[in-house]
Amino acid sequence: MRTLSAATWPAAPRMAVCGSGTQLQAAGVLCRTLQGHGHWVNTMALSTDYALRTGAFEPAEATVNAQDLQGSLQELKERALSRYNLVRGQGPERLVSGSDDFTLFLWSPAEDKKPLARMTGHQALINQVLFSPDSRIVASASFDKSIKLWDGRTGRYLASLRGHVAAVYQIAWSADSRLLVSGSSDSTLKVWDVKAQKLATDLPGHADEVYAVDWSPDGQRVASGGKDKCLRMGRAMVHQTLLQSRCSLHCVPPELKSSTWSIGCHCTCPGSLSL
């Protein structure tokens, strides 16, 4: 089996591995195989991924300058567990997988090897899937130039976000689950207002395909990397603007629309970060 990606389970020494099928392993022993996809499994995500990534760090309490977490190791562990349990809720963790067969599957792998839902609609292979930090929505990025949104519990289709003119490679959520940023083969990053289900703004700057994108857990910065050999970073002022106004592109400051996100950039406009 050709392995393409992997994700680690928190509560027990298990690992889910993507390949021609999805497998769960415990202590090095295969315990379950999840079958259903007709081609390679390219990507997968856990409903608790964001809580596992941020641990005891609470994005809602973040400032522009990162602060060291206060408290003993035991207190931090308890805080991280509390945040994990809040996102997980009463049910088991869910797993979503995306494949070259254009489909997604929603699983509850700790309980059943049968999928909860088969999610169809993409017209090309799926590059990435991600649960929102609150686990309510799944976003999927595809070579069909679109991003699709799905209900994180049932797998029900919610909306398609269209605007890229080439394959969408990667996506990243803001900490509050209200915004989504995408990177594409068309050399642009786009910020989407998830509630309004439409484009908020474009983030120009790359000269070629954008392969990687991420949003910092404190919500203040977005980073992207591309074929132009550049890593670009910028303060996500658009985030604060959208949260204050709950509208879209016309509320974004003009200086942000035209700013270049680049390490080493000496621009002083609010949309740029000089390192």
Side-chain angles (χ1 to χ4, degrees):
M1 180 181 69
R2 182 175 178 179
T3 301
L4 299 180
S5 59
T8 303
W9 291 77
R14 295 181 176 180
M15 179 171 290
V17 182
C18 282
S20 58
T22 301
Q23 299 182 347
L24 300 182
Q25 295 180 347
V29 179
L30 179 66
C31 62
R32 186 163 297 167
T33 298
L34 309 178
Q35 294 182 321
H37 284 297
H39 212 290
W40 290 341
V41 179
N42 295 326
T43 176
M44 64 182 185
L46 276 172
S47 56
T48 54
D49 271 344
Y50 202 83
L52 296 175
R53 174 186 178 185
T54 52
F57 175 78
E58 177 52 65
E61 300 173 0
T63 60
V64 173
N65 296 315
Q67 302 292 323
D68 290 334
L69 293 174
Q70 301 297 320
S72 66
L73 178 59
Q74 184 59 35
E75 289 173 334
L76 294 178
K77 287 182 178 180
E78 291 175 356
R79 195 183 309 171
L81 182 59
S82 175
R83 295 188 67 245
Y84 166 81
N85 287 332
L86 180 64
V87 172
R88 177 177 175 176
Q90 298 299 316
E93 288 171 309
R94 283 152 285 133
L95 178 74
V96 63
S97 56
S99 169
D100 264 21
D101 65 7
F102 308 173
T103 69
L104 296 87
F105 278 86
L106 185 65
W107 314 84
S108 179
E111 293 189 332
D112 199 345
K113 63 181 181 181
K114 296 181 180 179
L116 298 174
R118 181 174 182 264
M119 299 132 78
T120 62
H122 278 297
Q123 303 300 310
L125 66 87
I126 296 163
N127 287 314
Q128 189 178 23
V129 292
L130 276 182
F131 276 93
S132 59
D134 61 12
S135 80
R136 295 180 180 179
I137 299 176
V138 171
S140 56
S142 171
F143 261 75
D144 66 7
K145 310 174 189 177
S146 76
I147 300 151
K148 293 189 184 297
L149 303 179
W150 318 80
D151 187 292
R153 295 196 176 276
T154 66
R156 179 174 62 89
Y157 169 77
L158 299 176
S160 292
L161 305 178
R162 300 187 183 277
H164 284 294
V165 297
V168 184
Y169 289 142
Q170 280 206 340
I171 48 180
W173 286 93
S174 64
D176 59 10
S177 304
R178 299 189 186 189
L179 300 174
L180 189 71
V181 63
S182 56
S184 169
S185 177
D186 64 13
S187 81
T188 69
L189 291 113
K190 296 183 185 293
V191 177
W192 307 89
D193 185 330
V194 174
K195 183 177 180 179
Q197 298 179 356
K198 61 183 180 181
L199 180 67
T201 189
D202 282 293
L203 301 177
H206 280 285
D208 212 325
E209 298 179 81
V210 181
Y211 291 138
V213 62
D214 204 358
W215 207 312
S216 64
D218 65 5
Q220 303 295 335
R221 296 176 175 88
V222 170
S224 60
K227 194 174 181 180
D228 60 4
K229 307 175 186 178
C230 290
L231 174 66
R232 300 185 182 275
M233 297 179 65
R235 286 184 181 173
M237 301 299 290
V238 65
H239 188 213
Q240 298 174 0
T241 303
L242 285 175
L243 295 190
Q244 291 169 0
S245 64
R246 294 310 306 156
C247 60
S248 56
L249 184 58
H250 64 277
C251 291
V252 180
E255 61 268 28
L256 177 60
K257 298 177 188 177
S258 61
S259 63
T260 298
W261 293 27
S262 179
I263 287 181
C265 173
H266 296 287
C267 177
T268 58
C269 70
S272 296
L273 174 66
S274 180
L275 297 182

